[in-house]
Amino acid sequence: MLPIINSKQPNSGTTIFTVMSVLAAEHNAINLGQGFPDFAMDEELTGLVTAAMRKGYNQYVHMNGLAALREQLAEKIRFLYNCKVDAEKEITITPGGTYAIFTALTTVLQPGDEVIVFEPAYDSYIPTIEINGAVPVLIPLTFPSYKIDWELVKQKITPKTKMIMLNSPHNPTGSVLSEDDITQLRSIVKDTGIFILSDEVYEHLIFDGLQHQSMLRYPDLLERSFVCFSFGKTYHCTGWKIGYCVAPAALMSEFRKIHQFNCFSTNSTVQFALAEFLQQKEKYLELGPFIQQKRDYFASLMQQTKFKALPSYGSYFQLYSYEGLSDENERELAIRITKEYGVASIPVSVFYKQPTDNKVLRFCFAKKESTLEEAVNRLIRFR
Ligand code: GLN
């Protein structure tokens, strides 16, 4: 008799990012689906990695991450958010942002705990909650502004609420938290034992002069938060799979107990390179305007098509509505456009647990101008 797995994820298929990237490759389509840049990264950084490797920095670094890199991050956090974190006890380098989120949830959640999640939600959140035996409590962001309805949040809080998950700038919608959102959040969690998981991987990709509302700015929020970041999104190297988590020492010490028996430590060589590269603040400060230009260029080109832009204030992404253009659901249409017109996108419905069809597709504009031009030339023909 062969053993049979009792699936921990009976309802999960393959993640949409892989599905659409494979489909794009099969049909030779331009891939504006999965979020990754197609332009070259900074040669200085690739040079630093090569040098680090040649210098022989190829063995394990400390399981919590290279001390020099954590110190640079503490300096960055002080500089950007006027926040003092202890590099030794409050920062852990991880193999990517998704891993940091998985680890934080696994650190905190017990079976039966409730976690407030806003939909559309990045596709790893709900499975990770469920794998830990906890229960996602789903709250839709208001359509089409994708704002949080804080009254609804208050109603959904129960004695079992263990955590609220936040993501700003938001994937897939490009909405961002405002100061008013922070005020509401503070008043809701005050006097509760609720943790916050804040996914801030797009911290620098924020546009139109808006300020990123990091949990790191607010000591009363940070004291209950795990804040997750990604170097891939900041330095155009998503394939390096390196990120970090910031949390108060008591929380981080539990996080590390999970981390040490999962990946143990993160790719060492790139940590040496990043520790040096991070000293140049302008490299991350110039990122927002650089990506905003791409959003604007793509949006101006897209005006030649029948798709209607929804606002994007941050991230790599902008949603486009096809309301009135097709009755197909989002998934069907994203697949058809990939096959027939050669442009891959992501159907936003995949980020909801309940069947939802707002007739919007997510496009990634973090691409070379020539890529965006060719994609739009193809989309103009859409009917
Ligand atoms: N974060 C990226 C996106 O939203 C992709 C991450 C992944 O492929 N798992 O497109």
Side-chain angles (χ1 to χ4, degrees), residues 221-236:
L221 294 177
L222 180 57
E223 67 186 13
R224 56 178 75 239
S225 293
F226 292 85
V227 195
C228 301
F229 297 94
S230 155
F231 288 107
K233 302 295 183 323
T234 300
Y235 294 128
H236 318 312

Side-chain angles (χ1 to χ4, degrees), residues 17 33-35 122 171 202 233 317 362:
F17 304 117
Q34 192 177 24
Y122 183 62
N171 180 5
Y202 298 104
K233 302 295 183 323
F317 312 113
R362 188 195 83 171

Side-chain angles (χ1 to χ4, degrees), residues 111-124:
D113 284 346
E114 293 179 358
V115 181
I116 291 188
V117 187
F118 300 101
E119 287 190 309
Y122 183 62
D123 79 335
S124 81

Side-chain angles (χ1 to χ4, degrees), residues 37-55:
D38 72 341
F39 42 84
M41 55 177 298
D42 199 305
E43 278 189 18
E44 201 180 324
L45 181 51
T46 46
L48 286 169
V49 177
T50 311
M53 206 169 263
R54 293 226 165 95
K55 278 185 213 155

Side-chain angles (χ1 to χ4, degrees), residues 167-241:
N167 172 214
S168 179
H170 186 254
N171 180 5
T173 69
S175 68
V176 299
L177 289 177
S178 66
E179 265 185 84
D180 184 53
D181 290 315
I182 298 290
T183 307
Q184 303 262 16
L185 174 66
R186 287 173 117 165
S187 87
I188 285 179
V189 297
K190 189 167 69 77
D191 305 326
T192 73
I194 298 174
F195 291 94
I196 294 168
L197 182 303
S198 187
D199 173 355
E200 303 186 10
V201 300
Y202 298 104
E203 70 178 320
H204 298 297
L205 306 176
I206 183 155
F207 315 136
D208 307 324
L210 292 165
Q211 189 188 55
H212 171 50
Q213 294 299 329
S214 176
M215 296 305 116
L216 300 173
R217 284 185 197 281
Y218 304 97
D220 57 324
L221 294 177
L222 180 57
E223 67 186 13
R224 56 178 75 239
S225 293
F226 292 85
V227 195
C228 301
F229 297 94
S230 155
F231 288 107
K233 302 295 183 323
T234 300
Y235 294 128
H236 318 312
C237 49
T238 60
W240 287 9
K241 290 303 301 177

